[in-house]
Amino acid sequence: MLIGSLIKNILIRISGIFINSRKSRCIFYHDIHSDVRFTEMSNSVELFIEHVKTIRSSGFEIVHNITKEDNQISISFDDGWRGVYENIEIINTLRIPITIFVIPSFLNQENFLSEKELIELSKNPYIKIQSHTLNHFDLTSISVDVLKEELIYSKNIIESLCGSLVDSVCYPKGLFNSKIVDIANDLGYRYQYSSLPGSYCKEIFPSVKRRTLVQYISTKQLKYILRGGDSILYFWYKLKHIKK
């Protein structure tokens, strides 16, 4: 595993040196923490702040919705862990627009947001709440009926709690296929987020956006990703994440 990560990081660095792109892109995390860590997938607040500084000093604007082909970054957090809520002053102080993709069935469970906390976050102008499906199932391994329930109930619950439109979903474990894309589109998910790296405007399928996981990485490695170095991994991730 360590060797695989090392090879991946080397490839990103080499690619980033030669590409030097300014394309807008999506990056994502799972959580942030200061004293209490709610998941092993969490970034320290200190490292997250350094990431934000790196993004801005590199000339990128952090936005909720990417509207330009170049120079914009969107940041999202998957699952709905409590760390963002506990460290919301960081988001507010640095004025960082973020999207949280929540799993409604996980609300009120240990280490996850409660319904009350989710509602409170949804009123924050820097926070958007969107869907990560109802139960975080592998969408490629369930029936069409269950798939529709995962997408419909998640959307309805979040909209009912937060009072705002849910038109975006990110795929659990990054797994999806063309059938899932079509059904999600039919159910009102205009924006669908994968875990495949690359620029935002270079869609995989219509409405399917690329995103890069950046938790744990150094600021130097983040700079190579901002330059487009992660694009070299696209076909490898495509083989892992797009199922028939």
Side-chain angles (χ1 to χ4, degrees):
M1 192 69 175
L2 291 176
I3 294 176
S5 296
L6 178 61
I7 294 173
K8 181 174 73 171
N9 289 340
I10 291 172
L11 289 173
I12 289 173
R13 291 188 179 198
I14 293 173
S15 178
I17 291 171
F18 289 101
I19 293 177
N20 194 19
S21 169
R22 299 293 308 174
K23 297 300 181 186
S24 298
R25 59 189 59 245
C26 305
I27 60 174
F28 75 105
Y29 304 81
H30 283 88
D31 204 15
I32 53 176
H33 66 273
S34 48
D35 296 330
V36 180
R37 190 171 186 171
F38 296 101
T39 170
E40 290 302 312
M41 298 181 290
S42 182
N43 248 45
S44 70
V45 163
E46 291 78 13
L47 180 58
F48 180 68
I49 292 172
E50 289 304 311
H51 279 193
V52 171
K53 290 179 179 178
T54 298
I55 292 167
R56 287 174 168 163
S57 65
S58 298
F60 288 88
E61 176 189 14
I62 301 174
V63 297
H64 269 143
N65 302 308
I66 291 177
T67 58
K68 301 176 181 178
E69 188 171 346
D70 299 319
N71 301 322
Q72 290 184 332
I73 296 291
S74 74
I75 296 175
S76 55
F77 289 81
D78 287 5
D79 300 345
W81 301 94
R82 293 197 71 242
V84 172
Y85 179 83
E86 293 291 332
N87 295 280
I88 192 62
E89 72 278 0
I90 300 301
I91 304 299
N92 292 334
T93 301
L94 295 180
R95 300 182 179 182
I96 311 165
I98 63 170
T99 297
I100 304 175
F101 289 101
V102 300
I103 307 162
S105 69
F106 288 10
L107 295 174
N108 302 317
Q109 292 189 21
E110 185 179 5
N111 295 331
F112 289 93
L113 294 168
S114 67
E115 289 186 2
K116 181 179 179 181
E117 290 164 347
L118 180 69
I119 293 169
E120 184 179 339
L121 284 176
S122 72
K123 296 177 181 178
N124 187 313
Y126 294 113
I127 310 291
K128 282 182 63 177
I129 308 297
Q130 295 295 316
S131 171
H132 198 16
T133 73
L134 180 62
N135 292 294
H136 203 263
F137 293 153
D138 171 0
L139 301 183
T140 65
S141 65
I142 57 179
S143 69
V144 170
D145 288 341
V146 175
L147 169 62
K148 289 181 178 179
E149 289 176 357
E150 284 292 304
L151 296 170
I152 291 170
Y153 290 142
S154 176
K155 178 179 172 68
N156 289 348
I157 290 170
I158 297 169
E159 289 183 341
S160 177
L161 287 172
C162 301
S164 55
L165 176 67
V166 172
D167 60 0
S168 302
V169 63
C170 69
Y171 308 122
K173 303 175 184 177
L175 302 174
F176 69 105
N177 56 36
S178 58
K179 177 182 70 176
I180 292 166
V181 174
D182 291 340
I183 291 173
N185 270 320
D186 290 342
L187 295 176
Y189 288 103
R190 296 175 56 203
Y191 307 97
Q192 301 174 41
Y193 291 87
S194 70
S195 300
L196 278 67
S199 63
Y200 177 85
C201 294
K202 197 171 183 180
E203 295 182 324
I204 305 158
F205 295 99
S207 78
V208 179
K209 307 299 182 181
R210 306 186 188 205
R211 287 193 313 163
T212 299
L213 181 65
V214 297
Q215 64 196 27
Y216 312 140
I217 69 171
S218 67
T219 53
K220 186 174 183 179
Q221 191 74 357
L222 178 61
K223 288 180 181 179
Y224 289 118
I225 288 174
L226 296 176
R227 293 164 65 104
D230 58 337
S231 300
I232 196 171
L233 303 176
Y234 172 76
F235 290 103
W236 177 41
Y237 276 84
K238 182 178 179 181
L239 290 173
K240 289 174 56 179
H241 289 172
I242 302 181
K243 306 296 183 179
K244 294 184 178 180

